[in-house]
């Protein structure tokens, strides 16, 4: 009976003649998942991202020691059964700090994405739909932010505010939204004069409703792909701010800050700065692989 229900469910999801819009949406999602699942590297990226997120959230259960507990007698100890990744210059367990540091670094990434994606999407859709002076004004503002390297501009914003996680998130968000605005504008320009939008406009729908209900949904898939691909860059920027002392402040565990505080030991006690660097590398690579897979599924130009 279970096998029969599974077969019927799969048959329903692969139907060539959907019975409703909801059915068609589920068919499209399932076929996208099958395409994504067929990409081995994308699945590796997805599994790695899930493992890192779960491990960070479950840090209190997985970490054997307090990440801030100091033991000067056991400082700079190499990896062992007692300390899987060794200890740092203050005798703190690096394994515990990596787990708790994932909360900080990945949390900053999520916060930046939640700020950046809506801002960039709104600016791009408004500029592309109205055109004219609105388009020129918003795009010139976008060009101003694009004219500066992201890290340099983020450093300037953090210096103007106050070093810390909140300031770093705001600074990264303020420097990361222009590419999303450009992408959303390009997508909007391709659909604003289509018969579909003209028909909606003839029904008396206002511009705000047209943008929110009909333009934005058409741009979301491209923005999702761009966000996923940009997450690795956001991780590197957050780690760079931490390394330069502008992000998370000690003793808070954060991967970039951990590298900065231990860079003097890179030759003798290599594991102290190397392991946080490996964590940054794995997270960045995983998001890149995940983004490539999502681009193949969501980007119509790749089909």
């Amino acid at each position: 009976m279970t096998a029969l229900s599974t077969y019927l469910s799969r048959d329903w999801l692969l139907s060539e003649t959907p019975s409703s819009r909801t059915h068609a949406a589920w068919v499209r999602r399932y076929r996208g998942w099958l395409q994504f699942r067929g990409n081995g590297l994308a699945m590796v990226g997805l599994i790695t991202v899930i493992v890192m997120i779960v491990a960070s959230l479950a840090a209190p259960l997985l970490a054997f020691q307090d990440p801030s507990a100091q033991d000067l007698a056991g400082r700079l100890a190499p990896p062992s059964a007692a300390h899987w990744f060794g200890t740092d210059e203050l005798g703190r367990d690096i394994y515990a700090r990596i787990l708790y540091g994932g909360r900080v670094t990945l949390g900053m990434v999520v916060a930046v994405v939640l700020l950046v994606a809506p801002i960039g999407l709104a600016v791009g859709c408004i500029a592309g739909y109205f055109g004219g002076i609105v388009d020129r004004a918003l795009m010139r503002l976008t060009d101003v932010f694009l004219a500066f390297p992201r890290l340099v501009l983020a450093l300037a914003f953090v210096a103007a505010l106050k070093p810390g996680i909140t300031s770093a998130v705001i600074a990264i968000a303020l420097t990361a939204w222009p590419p999303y605005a450009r992408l959303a504008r390009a997508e909007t320009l391709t659909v604003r004069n289509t018969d579909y939008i003209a028909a909606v406009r003839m029904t008396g729908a206002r511009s705000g409703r047209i943008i929110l209900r009909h333009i934005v949904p058409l741009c979301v898939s491209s923005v999702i792909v761009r966000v996923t691909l940009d997450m690795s860059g956001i991780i590197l920027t957050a780690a760079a701010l931490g390394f330069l002392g502008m992000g998370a402040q000690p003793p808070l565990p954060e991967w970039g800050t951990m590298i900065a505080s231990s860079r003097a030991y890179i030759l003798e006690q290599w594991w102290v700065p190397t392991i946080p660097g490996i964590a940054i590398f794995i997270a960045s690579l995983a998001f890149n692989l995940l983004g490539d897979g999502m681009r193949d599924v969501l980007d119509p130009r790749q089909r």
Side-chain angles (χ1 to χ4, degrees):
M1 190 67 180
T2 304
L4 178 60
S5 62
T6 301
Y7 172 78
L8 292 176
S9 176
R10 180 180 173 84
D11 187 59
W12 184 79
L13 289 171
L14 293 176
S15 174
E16 295 291 342
T17 56
S19 57
S20 64
R21 293 178 60 184
T22 302
H23 187 189
W26 279 107
V27 170
R28 184 173 63 254
R29 294 188 190 107
Y30 186 67
R31 288 179 176 174
W33 162 248
L34 292 179
Q35 181 182 354
F36 182 87
R37 193 176 65 181
N39 188 331
L41 290 177
M43 286 299 297
V44 170
L46 176 62
I47 293 171
T48 304
V49 169
I50 292 175
V51 168
M52 296 186 75
I53 293 175
V54 171
S56 299
L57 294 176
L61 301 176
L62 299 177
F64 308 126
Q65 301 184 28
D66 186 341
S68 300
Q70 300 182 14
D71 179 17
L72 297 180
R75 62 190 298 269
L76 300 175
S80 63
H83 303 284
W84 289 1
F85 294 163
T87 60
D88 63 8
E89 68 279 6
L90 296 177
R92 296 170 296 190
D93 186 66
I94 296 178
Y95 169 68
R97 291 181 64 79
I98 287 291
L99 291 177
Y100 280 90
R103 285 183 161 191
V104 178
T105 303
L106 298 179
M108 291 175 66
V109 172
V110 172
V112 169
V113 168
L114 292 178
L115 288 172
V116 163
I119 293 174
L121 190 60
V123 171
C125 289
I126 292 173
Y129 181 79
F130 288 105
I133 188 171
V134 175
D135 183 26
R136 290 194 295 271
L138 291 177
M139 287 302 100
R140 294 302 76 76
L141 177 63
T142 303
D143 292 338
V144 170
F145 282 89
L146 287 173
F148 297 91
R150 178 180 296 183
L151 181 58
V152 174
L153 196 57
L155 285 171
F157 278 120
V158 173
L161 299 172
K162 180 183 178 182
I165 294 178
T166 303
S167 299
V169 169
I170 294 174
I172 297 173
L174 288 174
T175 60
W177 66 268
Y180 302 95
R182 283 286 188 183
L183 178 62
R185 174 181 178 271
E187 294 284 343
T188 303
L189 289 175
T190 62
V191 301
R192 70 174 182 177
N193 293 323
T194 58
D195 294 339
Y196 165 68
I197 299 299
V200 174
R201 194 180 294 116
M202 290 177 62
T203 63
R206 296 183 178 180
S207 298
R209 179 180 176 85
I210 294 174
I211 293 174
L212 288 176
R213 297 292 300 274
H214 303 284
I215 299 293
V216 169
L218 296 175
C219 302
V220 165
S221 60
S222 298
V223 171
I224 290 175
V225 173
R226 181 61 190 255
V227 164
T228 310
L229 290 170
D230 274 2
M231 280 185 174
S232 60
I234 296 173
I235 290 175
L236 294 175
T237 303
L241 290 176
F243 181 83
L244 296 172
M246 295 293 185
Q249 300 298 301
L252 192 67
E254 194 273 329
W255 296 341
T257 305
M258 292 171 65
I259 297 175
S261 62
S262 60
R263 60 182 181 272
Y265 308 100
I266 192 169
L267 296 179
E268 290 82 7
Q269 291 80 25
W270 57 267
W271 58 89
V272 184
T274 300
I275 290 177
I278 292 175
I280 295 172
F281 169 76
I282 292 176
S284 300
L285 179 61
F287 278 113
N288 273 331
L289 295 177
L290 176 61
D292 285 339
M294 294 189 68
R295 179 182 58 193
D296 294 341
V297 174
L298 297 177
D299 190 349
R301 289 168 295 185
Q302 299 292 325
R303 297 174 185 171

